[in-house]
């Protein structure tokens, strides 16, 4: 049996999405900036996709800008806000607030701004389930704070952040609020107006659309610098000939995702909880990472097993037809423990023994049953060879 449980790394392109995209490679290939009618068809397709993405998140179409990825949208938010503040005369004093558990698309951009533009960055800590605190945000904010960027939901442990409270605080204080919703946008309903979000990053390949297309929501009237300089595409804010097929795919995927949410969210939540409860019952000393219930993404399961290396677990699972990950797809291959697991207070040993399983449209009850039938044996076998486990049992008892 093949069980794909890495939907947060990427999703397969929905065949319907692919079918909607295909004509834009071969038949309707005109450059949207040209004047003839073939080009007008390309323009119309982009307009429609912009409406579809906007409608999925409660935005106006003119507030959606297509990008090459979620990473690019994250870069745009931080760099664009800082550049605009500098233009408005805030020299040397720009302050950015983010969290310790952001995706590297945010963390490395913040790092760049610190190193190259002299920006001061505050990384808010999180509690043991990965939540930032509004009190910490309130204490960190200063008159020099240009932007707060807190992810909607964490890609490794699935914890959903208090976005409404953060949005309200930022709006009151006149500070820009950006959220990286690359994971959340595909899993839970989001209304940018209700949540007082100024900027939001999204990615098509996490919602059964194509890789290499993202979107940036920029609320009307919010001033950030343009990102890619060149031609007049995307109102001159993100130059480069549009990836029409990718954009069409993203629009279609966002529309389908919104239609499916009312049934898919409870379905995945039930499967997620069956997997979580099954692991807690069958594997001693299994540690669930992240929040529970409504504060966790419906598709995310993340555990640490003391005495087991995450990487070996992945190989054993793969031998049983199961594709999973140890954390973020972007950091796999790295020997450093996950910054997210360290931030929620895990020891190095536990952080190295983590397993992320992310569910999606293809996940069935049978798949969860298969994981529950093989995982306890795999963990027990690995632990029986582990000096870390031997020591742990000596200290804590149990088996
Ligand atoms: N932000 C988060 C939270 C993610 O999980 C990812 C991808 O895993 C990204 C950003 C990057 O998105 P993209 O692959 O579209 O660049």
């Amino acid at each position: 049996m093949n069980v794909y449980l890495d939907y947060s790394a990427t999703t397969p392109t929905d065949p319907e999405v692919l079918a909607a995209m295909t004509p834009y490679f071969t038949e309707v290939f005109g450059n949207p900036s040209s004047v003839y009618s073939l080009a007008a068809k390309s323009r119309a397709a982009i307009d429609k996709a912009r409406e579809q993405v906007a409608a999925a998140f409660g935005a106006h179409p003119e507030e959606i800008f297509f990008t090459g990825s979620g990473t690019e949208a994250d870069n745009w938010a931080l760099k664009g806000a800082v550049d605009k503040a500098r233009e408005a005369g805030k020299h040397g004093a720009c302050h950015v607030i983010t969290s310790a558990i952001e995706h590297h698309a945010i963390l490395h951009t913040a790092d760049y701004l610190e190193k190259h533009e002299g920006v001061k960055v505050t990384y808010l800590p999180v509690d043991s389930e990965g939540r930032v605190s509004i009190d910490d945000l309130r204490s960190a904010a200063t008159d020099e704070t240009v932007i707060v960027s807190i992810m909607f939901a964490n890609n490794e442990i699935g914890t959903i952040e208090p976005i409404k409270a953060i949005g309200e605080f930022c709006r009151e204080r006149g500070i820009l609020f950006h959220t990286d919703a690359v994971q959340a946008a595909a899993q839970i309903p989001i209304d940018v107006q209700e949540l007082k979000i100024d900027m939001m990053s999204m990615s098509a390949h996490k919602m059964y659309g194509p890789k290499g297309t993202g979107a940036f929501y920029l609320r009307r009237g919010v001033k950030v610098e343009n990102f890619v300089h060149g031609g007049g595409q995307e109102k001159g804010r993100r130059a480069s000939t549009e990836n029409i097929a990718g954009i069409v795919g993203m629009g279609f995927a966002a529309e389908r995702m919104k239609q499916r949410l009312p049934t898919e969210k409870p379905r995945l939540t039930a499967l997620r909880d069956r997997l979580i409860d099954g692991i807690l019952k069958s594997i001693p000393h299994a540690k669930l990472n992240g929040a529970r219930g409504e504060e966790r993404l419906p598709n995310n399961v993340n555990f640490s097993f003391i005495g087991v290396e995450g990487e070996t677990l992945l190989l054993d699972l793969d031998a049983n037809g199961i594709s999973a990950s140890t954390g973020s797809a972007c950091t796999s291959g790295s020997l450093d423990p996950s910054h997210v697991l360290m931030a929620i207070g895990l020891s190095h040993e536990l952080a190295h023994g983590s397993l992320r399983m992310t569910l999606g449209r293809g996940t069935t009850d049978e798949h969860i049953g298969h994981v529950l039938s093989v995982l306890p044996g795999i963990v027990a076998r690995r632990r029986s060879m582990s000096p870390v486990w031997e020591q742990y049992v000596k200290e804590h008892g149990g088996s």
Side-chain angles (χ1 to χ4, degrees):
M1 186 187 287
N2 283 322
V3 180
Y4 179 75
L5 288 177
D6 206 13
Y7 285 90
S8 283
T10 196
T11 57
T13 303
D14 180 335
E16 276 190 306
V17 169
L18 182 61
M21 292 170 64
T22 309
Y24 295 93
F25 288 107
T26 48
E27 293 157 38
V28 192
F29 59 86
N31 188 322
S33 302
S34 304
V35 290
Y36 35 81
S37 50
L38 188 66
K41 283 189 185 165
S42 302
R43 270 199 304 278
I46 293 175
D47 290 345
K48 183 174 172 203
R50 209 182 300 285
E51 282 165 18
Q52 287 167 314
V53 174
F57 303 105
H60 300 287
E62 67 273 22
E63 296 174 319
I64 301 295
F65 296 87
F66 289 107
T67 64
S69 63
T71 300
E72 188 188 313
D74 283 346
N75 272 257
W76 189 352
L78 294 195
K79 291 178 180 168
V82 165
D83 286 349
K84 204 63 176 180
R86 284 274 150 81
E87 202 184 287
K90 282 200 171 187
H91 284 284
C94 282
H95 178 220
V96 170
I97 299 177
T98 185
S99 83
I101 62 163
E102 298 295 311
H103 189 272
H104 284 129
I106 289 291
L107 291 180
H108 289 171
T109 305
D111 198 38
Y112 170 88
L113 289 170
E114 251 180 329
K115 283 205 185 91
H116 298 278
E117 298 212 22
V119 168
K120 192 169 171 289
V121 182
T122 300
Y123 298 89
L124 296 181
V126 291
D127 67 16
S128 61
E129 293 186 341
R131 239 175 263 104
V132 298
S133 117
I134 293 292
D135 286 342
D136 286 344
L137 172 60
R138 199 171 285 122
S139 324
T142 71
D143 291 344
E144 290 170 347
T145 309
V146 170
I147 182 170
V148 169
S149 178
I150 303 290
M151 68 200 322
F152 208 113
N154 184 266
N155 48 304
E156 292 188 37
I157 58 175
T159 299
I160 299 172
E161 298 298 334
I163 294 300
K164 192 162 198 274
I166 298 171
E168 278 165 1
F169 170 78
C170 290
R171 193 65 58 86
E172 261 169 38
R173 282 287 304 256
I175 301 171
L176 295 180
F177 173 41
H178 165 256
T179 187
D180 172 345
V182 165
Q183 294 294 338
Q187 303 293 330
I188 50 176
I190 295 178
D191 185 313
V192 286
Q193 296 193 42
E194 189 196 323
L195 298 171
K196 299 196 167 44
I197 294 167
D198 293 318
M199 287 170 255
M200 185 166 91
S201 307
M202 294 156 271
S203 179
H205 76 99
K206 309 286 186 183
M207 51 173 94
Y208 306 89
K211 293 167 183 62
T213 305
F216 182 51
Y217 160 74
L218 179 61
R219 189 167 69 84
R220 270 192 296 219
V222 170
K223 292 191 170 37
V224 300
E225 192 48 82
N226 299 343
F227 193 58
V228 178
H229 307 283
Q233 295 89 354
E234 298 297 284
K235 292 192 212 135
R237 311 213 62 174
R238 196 275 181 186
S240 177
T241 303
E242 297 87 341
N243 171 7
I244 311 166
I247 290 171
V248 166
M250 178 153 198
F252 204 86
E255 189 177 87
R256 279 282 179 279
M257 185 266 315
K258 177 89 174 171
Q259 286 162 353
R260 282 171 171 258
L261 263 188
T263 48
E264 195 60 358
K265 184 170 171 268
R267 190 186 78 85
L268 288 180
T269 303
L271 289 173
R272 175 199 74 183
D273 290 344
R274 182 179 166 215
L275 185 52
I276 289 177
D277 294 339
I279 290 174
L280 288 172
K281 272 193 204 115
S282 60
I283 304 180
H285 303 277
K287 167 150 190 359
L288 176 69
N289 299 315
R292 289 210 70 156
E294 282 295 308
E295 287 182 54
R296 183 182 197 101
L297 285 177
N299 77 329
N300 177 289
V301 174
N302 187 311
F303 273 95
S304 288
F305 305 105
I306 187 77
V308 185
E309 280 286 332
E311 298 294 327
T312 55
L313 209 51
L314 294 191
L315 296 178
D316 292 346
L317 286 170
D318 191 35
N320 284 278
I322 301 165
S323 310
S325 78
T326 50
S328 160
C330 313
T331 48
S332 59
S334 147
L335 290 178
D336 293 335
S338 142
H339 66 286
V340 177
L341 298 180
M342 295 306 285
I344 62 171
L346 261 56
S347 62
H348 267 71
E349 281 86 2
L350 268 179
H352 273 297
S354 76
L355 170 67
R356 180 185 78 168
M357 290 176 281
T358 46
L359 290 52
R361 275 186 205 164
T363 311
T364 63
D365 226 22
E366 221 186 339
H367 290 167
I368 301 301
H370 180 56
V371 175
L372 290 174
S373 74
V374 299
L375 186 59
I378 291 174
V379 171
R381 205 162 38 252
R382 286 289 169 188
R383 277 177 169 171
S384 69
M385 302 181 259
S386 158
V388 174
W389 175 245
E390 201 180 317
Q391 183 64 27
Y392 182 86
V393 171
K394 261 189 214 146
E395 283 168 19
H396 298 86
S399 62

